[in-house]
Amino acid sequence: MKKLGFGCMRMPLLDAEDQTSVDFEQVCQMVDTFLERGFTYFDTAYMYHKYASERVVKEALVKRHARDSYTLATKLPTMFLKEEGQQEQIFEEQMEKCGVDYFDYYLLHNLNQANYETARKFDSFAFVQKKKEEGRVRQFGFSFHDTAEVLDQILTEHPEVDFVQLQINYLDWENERIQSGKCYETAVKHGKKVIVMEPVKGGKLAKLPEEAEKLLLGAHPDWTVPSWGIRFAASLPEVMVVLSGMSNMEQMLDNTGYMQEFELLTEADQQIVKEAAEIIRNAIAIPCTECRYCVEGCPAQIEIPALFNLYNAENQALNRGYSTQKENYAKQTESGGKASECVECGQCEDACPQHIQIRDWMKEITQMFEA
């Protein structure tokens, strides 16, 4: 299997404000191109695109292509489990929404210490293992967002899993909150193959500070800036596939172009990546990837990722002396809650894979845009 996977979390939209308004025609073109170029791995989840992603996959992929021409992964949302029987209900719904008889890869979604306790409560590992024994799941794993210590605990207690899905990118490799490097090493220690998510950190490694961009383009003028993130992750020996949430045909053509005959990063390239990461760390205030896990259930209906983007843009604009972000903030909060309306319930922080102190940042954003 080629090392690039099609992540169906950030598909092209007809309306940027509506996550369900997927540009179906363009998605079909992207799916066809992906398969034509020899790539096979598709990744979706129950909650992506406000619960629409799995149905889009059914229409664009499953109904239009032979079942043996692709592999499909989806996930059981551990963060939504509240009562007995819910897992079975969700699984059957996913089978119907995706239109398949089995999933090639099935994951417990977003395991951290809290969600692992939920998985224990509902015996989720045994639930998926049974689906595997029934032939309705081929490979069983979990996506993970916590420390290497917690990952080591889970893999020690559940050696039956086939793989783990980790957030790995060159910016987070040595980050003590995300622990990309340590988590990868832990998975390798347990003999597990790794699927990579967020190799471009939700697009944050596609548009870099000018100094970092010059550094990368100076080393390889023919490489696009975001390709460095995918190349970095794909160069790790135990990585099975790197997911990319491609949002348009241009990204699809770029990624599939260089990943068809992928070449590992050299030692010199690895050093350049480290230097670029240091520049980026000094420029980005809030490391949000726009996964939108924090938005689900927000009592104040605050579009948290959008406000983070505005804050980061304003923070960088301070060095340039001109900004339209305050006007953009006023427009954004016409339809969503203001930062000052945060009730500090903390559910967003529990859901955040990046471990961002969202409540503190809401205060900072209030001061910046509402004072």
Side-chain angles (χ1 to χ4, degrees):
M1 181 168 63
K2 292 182 183 291
K3 272 195 169 184
L4 179 68
F6 191 155
C8 300
M9 179 181 177
R10 298 183 176 93
M11 293 185 283
L13 299 175
L14 297 172
D15 177 359
E17 303 299 319
D18 179 6
Q19 284 290 308
T20 66
S21 67
V22 175
D23 184 344
F24 182 71
E25 183 176 341
Q26 186 173 179
V27 170
C28 287
Q29 293 172 354
M30 293 168 69
V31 166
D32 295 349
T33 299
F34 192 74
L35 291 170
E36 286 166 4
R37 294 191 169 195
F39 300 90
T40 58
Y41 192 100
F42 293 82
D43 172 89
T44 184
Y46 188 68
M47 63 185 290
Y48 290 172
H49 283 276
K50 287 192 175 180
Y51 308 95
S53 179
E54 290 174 325
R55 292 203 183 280
V56 172
V57 168
K58 177 180 181 178
E59 298 299 323
L61 173 66
V62 176
K63 284 188 174 182
R64 300 175 61 250
H65 293 278
R67 185 64 182 92
D68 61 358
S69 68
Y70 61 86
T71 55
L72 180 61
T74 194
K75 311 174 187 75
L76 178 70
T78 57
M79 52 285 199
F80 292 170
L81 299 180
K82 305 295 182 187
E83 57 189 32
E84 295 293 339
Q86 198 173 8
Q87 294 180 121
E88 186 70 41
Q89 176 187 340
I90 290 173
F91 185 85
E92 294 300 331
E93 182 184 347
Q94 290 178 300
M95 295 283 281
E96 184 277 323
K97 286 171 72 177
C98 291
V100 294
D101 297 322
Y102 66 90
F103 294 113
D104 300 277
Y105 301 89
Y106 195 73
L107 299 83
L108 299 182
H109 197 175
N110 192 23
L111 286 195
N112 52 26
Q113 187 67 68
N115 291 338
Y116 182 46
E117 292 305 319
T118 300
R120 278 174 156 174
K121 177 181 177 181
F122 293 104
D123 210 5
S124 300
F125 284 83
F127 172 79
V128 181
Q129 184 65 26
K130 183 180 178 183
K131 297 301 179 188
K132 184 178 177 182
E133 291 167 1
E134 294 171 352
R136 304 178 81 189
V137 168
R138 298 290 172 86
Q139 296 283 302
F140 167 31
F142 59 89
S143 62
F144 181 78
H145 293 285
D146 211 317
T147 65
E149 182 180 3
V150 175
L151 179 61
D152 187 60
Q153 176 192 356
I154 297 174
L155 290 176
T156 299
E157 295 176 0
H158 293 283
E160 70 272 19
V161 300
D162 301 301
F163 65 93
V164 292
Q165 184 165 306
L166 303 174
Q167 176 170 316
I168 294 178
N169 56 69
Y170 63 79
L171 188 61
D172 292 328
W173 187 251
E174 297 179 354
N175 185 312
E176 274 306 308
R177 290 179 307 167
I178 310 300
Q179 298 191 358
S180 283
K182 289 181 179 179
C183 286
Y184 171 77
E185 291 163 3
T186 300
V188 172
K189 181 183 78 171
H190 284 271
K192 305 303 178 185
K193 286 292 184 181
V194 175
I195 294 174
V196 172
M197 56 185 161
E198 302 291 3
V200 193
K201 201 168 174 66
K204 293 295 181 291
L205 300 183
K207 297 178 181 178
L208 304 184
E210 186 176 354
E211 184 182 356
E213 191 169 297
K214 283 183 177 179
L215 180 65
L216 298 183
L217 291 176
H220 289 283
D222 55 330
W223 291 7
T224 59
V225 169
S227 78
W228 282 83
I230 295 174
R231 293 173 194 270
F232 172 83
S235 293
L236 296 168
E238 297 307 316
V239 165
M240 182 173 76
V241 67
V242 180
L243 301 176
S244 177
M246 293 169 277
S247 301
N248 54 52
M249 181 59 80
E250 181 182 2
Q251 294 173 10
M252 170 66 69
L253 293 174
D254 179 37
N255 287 345
T256 54
Y258 65 80
M259 287 299 289
Q260 278 184 296
E261 302 295 335
F262 174 68
E263 296 180 9
L264 301 176
L265 291 185
T266 65
E267 287 187 19
D269 293 331
Q270 296 281 5
Q271 183 57 40
I272 289 168
V273 158
K274 287 184 179 180
E275 294 173 20
E278 185 61 29
I279 296 168
I280 299 163
R281 273 192 289 271
N282 293 330
I284 297 178
I286 310 176
C288 172
T289 66
E290 299 181 64
C291 69
R292 298 183 60 81
Y293 292 3
C294 59
V295 176
E296 185 76 28
C298 173
Q301 296 185 312
I302 300 172
E303 283 289 322
I304 297 168
L307 301 196
F308 282 172
N309 275 338
L310 292 172
Y311 182 91
N312 282 337
E314 178 71 5
N315 196 52
Q316 294 180 39
L318 294 176
N319 299 322
R320 300 194 297 269
Y322 176 75
S323 171
T324 62
Q325 302 313 321
K326 289 189 176 181
E327 291 87 344
N328 293 339
Y329 178 84
K331 188 177 296 184
Q332 172 64 48
T333 52
E334 285 177 1
S335 56
K338 294 181 179 179
S340 59
E341 294 170 352
C342 171
V343 298
E344 300 193 51
C345 65
Q347 70 85 26
C348 54
E349 293 181 7
D350 293 338
C352 179
Q354 311 306 317
H355 310 292
I356 298 170
Q357 300 299 307
I358 297 174
R359 288 172 287 187
D360 291 342
W361 282 113
M362 287 296 108
K363 295 170 185 174
E364 292 285 336
I365 293 169
T366 298
Q367 183 63 31
M368 175 174 279
F369 293 118
E370 298 182 40

